[in-house]
Amino acid sequence: MTARFPGALAAWAEAARVRSLNAHDVRPAARYVLCWLQQALRARDNPVIDAAICLGNDLGLPVLVYHGLREDYPYASDRLHRFILGASRDLARECRQRGLASVHHVDRAAMREKGLVYRLAADSAAVLVEDQPTFVARWQSARFAARSDRAVFAVNAACLVPPALLGNDIGSTSAFRRRHEAVRADWLRASDMRPTVPAYEGPLPFTPDRLGTSTDAEIDRLVAAADIDHSLPPSAMFPLGRDGAVAKLERLMDAVLPTYAAVRNDATNPAGASTLSPYLHFGIVGPREIMATVAAADAPAGAKEKLADELLTWREWFHYQARALVAPEGYDRISGWARDTLKAHATDPRPEVETLDALLHGETRDESWNACQRQFLVDGWMHNNLRMYWGKRIIAMTPNPQTAWATACYLNDRLSLDGRDPSTYGNIASSFGGGSPGKDGPAIYGKVPTRSDGSTRHRTDGPAWLHAAATRSGPELVVPDAVPTDLYLAGKPPR
Ligand SMILES: Cc1cc2nc3c(=O)[nH]c(=O)nc-3n(C[C@H](O)[C@H](O)[C@H](O)COP(=O)(O)OP(=O)(O)OC[C@H]3O[C@@H](n4cnc5c(N)ncnc54)[C@H](O)[C@@H]3O)c2cc1C
């Protein structure tokens, strides 16, 4: 693929933040530079928007930001739709404050549009998209770049350090940490570009939704009118948009960081986790802003280092890994030894197999697992310390290792606001056999290390907490006949 990086975009490409997705040239005789956002839903400190402004300033063209929400993305539900629309609303508001035009569309029965990004691209000099390594944003950007006649550039907005900058040869988390730590300080400074061209006010190929002025009630009406899964309700734990993210940042500074190093493994302690992952997944907040909050906090150095290690080493390591995989969501990404040992034990008796209905609703025979699952079901999030137990137990609760993988990914992706992420598949792969093999031990698991619920159950009030968490009332979900396998087993994105 020919990389053609006009003007100032060349520096972005040199810094490995931007890559070319097709071989088309930029067309300067255009109305605007199109910035198509799918998941990085923030107007400030957003490298996709900044790169678009950079190109627009060079060409003397305004930037037009576009975000559209369809009904047919996998797991579209009231929970995901409402959270996304809250972010899209604030994107519109903050683009305006930044001197940029943004246009939004929400598909619903009365107002369906086809091929909007292609129609918008027809008047553009070039299109900037996000460089996401998993799920819809990845598939759609690749498909669009292959079909469009415009130059398409992908910009990494998810990571502090562009993964491509780190080379292609890192094989372990410790090597990744060393390489990342050596350069991360260079990326901590925010770099909001200023548009030198007035906001676009020209013609559009459709009538946009005025999301920027929508109230919460109007957002609820848009959600209700969409043909999506209405059995999964929004989460009360995650307030919408920038206000929600800012509240979590304040909580991080005041309540979480001061004790983070000591209590982050305690699922029973509400101050043990930042609960920022949904906002990170949808790009409402970026790692740079979180690190600025961490730097400003009055907290012990050890706590700050621990948070930085989770956010910058572990999270960005999974982004780095996913980028190199053909199918980051697929079973075959699990390490070879783990697949071998799980296969060798595939015919072991499985007395603990549960139905998909029981798994989805957290109504299995394992109280601790139900406590974990009901966090996903009710909150759309799960505490870090519970997730490894949750993931590993699914191997015994399903008929074979492949179904276990597809089930874990499905539950995480459908229910959790932070699902469908490089961290989803990377961490589930770790729970199915990260690190080195253990001794060929228990039935079903073989050399895959197991995990007990002891870190929660053995706390003084652990049993009472687990019982209460396992019996929280949750929504009654629509249950499919089986979990999807095309994506999770064959690595094939839906058409
Ligand atoms: C089986 C399993 C599935 C998981 N699925 C997801 C998922 O779908 N989406 C997701 O974002 N994370 C996932 N994680 C990683 C981790 O559990 C969550 O990121 C974390 O619990 C989110 O809560 P928090 O924001 O309060 O985390 P905090 O403890 O406050 O950490 C701050 C941030 O650091 C990052 N982080 C922390 N732990 C990890 C980790 N183990 N791997 C990568 N990044 C980490 C996250 O971005 C997190 O928001 C999974 C872990 C396991 C074991």
Side-chain angles (χ1 to χ4, degrees):
M1 202 174 291
T2 322
R4 295 164 192 273
F5 298 107
L9 220 49
W12 288 70
E14 229 165 80
R17 182 68 82 184
V18 173
R19 67 190 174 105
S20 189
L21 289 191
N22 63 21
H24 297 304
D25 287 324
V26 168
R27 304 185 188 202
R31 293 189 199 275
Y32 45 72
V33 169
L34 184 63
C35 176
W36 176 28
L37 297 180
Q38 299 182 66
Q39 202 181 310
L41 302 179
R42 64 182 183 276
R44 297 203 175 270
D45 193 22
N46 184 337
V48 197
I49 296 183
D50 284 346
I53 293 175
C54 195
L55 179 58
N57 287 353
D58 259 15
L59 299 172
L61 290 175
V63 167
L64 181 65
V65 174
Y66 165 61
H67 178 244
L69 190 59
R70 292 163 54 145
E71 299 157 294
D72 60 353
Y73 62 94
Y75 314 125
S77 63
D78 287 11
R79 175 169 296 170
L80 294 183
H81 238 56
R82 190 170 191 272
F83 198 72
I84 295 169
L85 287 177
S88 192
R89 170 178 63 190
D90 292 352
L91 174 71
R93 287 178 181 167
E94 297 202 334
C95 277
R96 202 170 44 241
Q97 288 162 11
R98 224 185 141 179
L100 298 171
S102 75
V103 288
H104 302 248
H105 171 74
V106 188
D107 259 350
R108 66 262 192 203
M111 193 84 71
R112 291 207 172 93
E113 293 280 0
K114 279 229 173 303
L116 266 189
V117 69
Y118 292 89
R119 284 152 60 194
L120 284 164
D123 279 331
S124 75
V127 184
L128 283 94
V129 300
E130 288 158 54
D131 204 353
Q132 289 286 354
T134 53
F135 221 70
V136 173
R138 175 192 191 163
W139 314 327
Q140 294 211 100
S141 298
R143 204 174 296 160
F144 171 71
R147 291 179 184 170
S148 173
D149 61 357
R150 302 293 136 151
V152 181
F153 300 100
V155 187
N156 178 288
C159 296
L160 181 77
V161 177
L165 189 71
L166 301 171
N168 296 315
D169 58 335
I170 307 180
S172 70
T173 322
S174 50
F176 180 81
R177 181 181 288 111
R178 276 195 301 279
R179 193 119 17 125
H180 197 284
E181 279 179 349
V183 294
R184 66 177 58 150
D186 300 344
W187 296 91
L188 286 169
R189 204 165 35 87
S191 70
D192 278 347
M193 296 280 306
R194 280 173 190 277
T196 53
V197 185
Y200 181 70
E201 288 180 356
L204 292 166
F206 74 112
T207 306
D209 285 314
R210 301 216 167 278
L211 216 55
T213 52
S214 296
T215 60
D216 282 3
E218 282 162 343
I219 285 188
D220 288 340
R221 280 199 285 281
L222 284 172
V223 172
D227 182 13
I228 55 176
D229 173 11
H230 294 297
S231 73
L232 182 61
S235 163
M237 188 170 159
F238 295 99
L240 295 188
R242 277 296 295 172
D243 285 353
V246 168
K248 298 288 183 191
L249 287 174
E250 284 167 2
R251 184 176 163 275
L252 171 68
M253 185 134 120
D254 301 337
V256 176
L257 263 182
T259 55
Y260 188 72
V263 303
R264 68 174 291 277
N265 281 332
D266 182 358
T268 70
N269 187 332
S274 70
T275 62
L276 274 162
S277 54
Y279 301 94
L280 271 163
H281 173 75
F282 285 108
I284 303 167
V285 63
R288 188 155 37 196
E289 188 178 5
I290 299 178
M291 286 309 295
T293 306
V294 170
D298 182 11
K304 294 184 176 193
E305 278 160 23
K306 186 72 196 144
L307 197 286
D309 200 50
E310 297 297 341
L311 178 72
L312 300 183
T313 304
W314 284 101
R315 177 173 177 273
E316 301 204 1
W317 166 236
F318 289 124
H319 276 261
Y320 177 87
Q321 282 187 329
R323 184 181 143 265
L325 293 168
V326 178
E329 304 91 351
Y331 181 75
D332 283 351
R333 72 167 291 164
I334 303 173
S335 49
W337 69 261
R339 269 180 286 140
D340 289 347
T341 194
L342 289 171
K343 188 174 173 191
H345 287 267
T347 54
D348 289 355
R350 289 167 192 258
E352 295 184 287
V353 166
E354 299 281 353
T355 63
L356 181 54
D357 195 326
L359 289 165
L360 260 173
H361 291 103
E363 289 170 353
T364 71
R365 286 159 283 175
D366 178 344
E367 183 186 65
S368 299
W369 193 88
N370 294 341
C372 307
Q373 175 64 14
R374 289 201 186 198
Q375 289 204 333
F376 266 174
L377 181 67
V378 182
D379 300 328
W381 174 88
M382 192 192 297
H383 189 280
N384 198 11
N385 189 257
L386 302 177
R387 295 201 196 207
M388 196 56 90
Y389 175 77
W390 172 88
K392 284 180 180 287
R393 283 289 287 137
I394 293 174
I395 299 174
M397 292 170 144
T398 45
N400 56 58
Q402 286 82 359
T403 307
W405 171 264
T407 304
C409 294
Y410 166 77
L411 296 175
N412 201 143
D413 284 350
R414 180 175 172 196
L415 303 181
S416 188
L417 283 165
D418 65 17
R420 309 155 306 281
D421 192 271
S423 291
T424 315
Y425 312 110
N427 274 290
I428 295 176
S430 296
S431 61
F432 276 55
S436 355
K439 281 200 192 127
D440 198 0
I444 300 169
Y445 289 87
K447 296 176 188 165
V448 173
T450 54
R451 168 74 67 101
S452 85
D453 59 359
S455 63
T456 306
R457 191 163 286 283
H458 294 156
R459 293 183 185 276
T460 315
D461 46 5
W465 186 86
L466 283 167
H467 180 71
T471 49
R472 296 167 78 190
S473 66
E476 210 37 61
L477 301 181
V478 170
V479 182
D481 294 337
V483 296
T485 50
D486 269 11
L487 174 62
Y488 301 133
L489 300 187
K492 279 196 255 156
R495 284 187 53 77

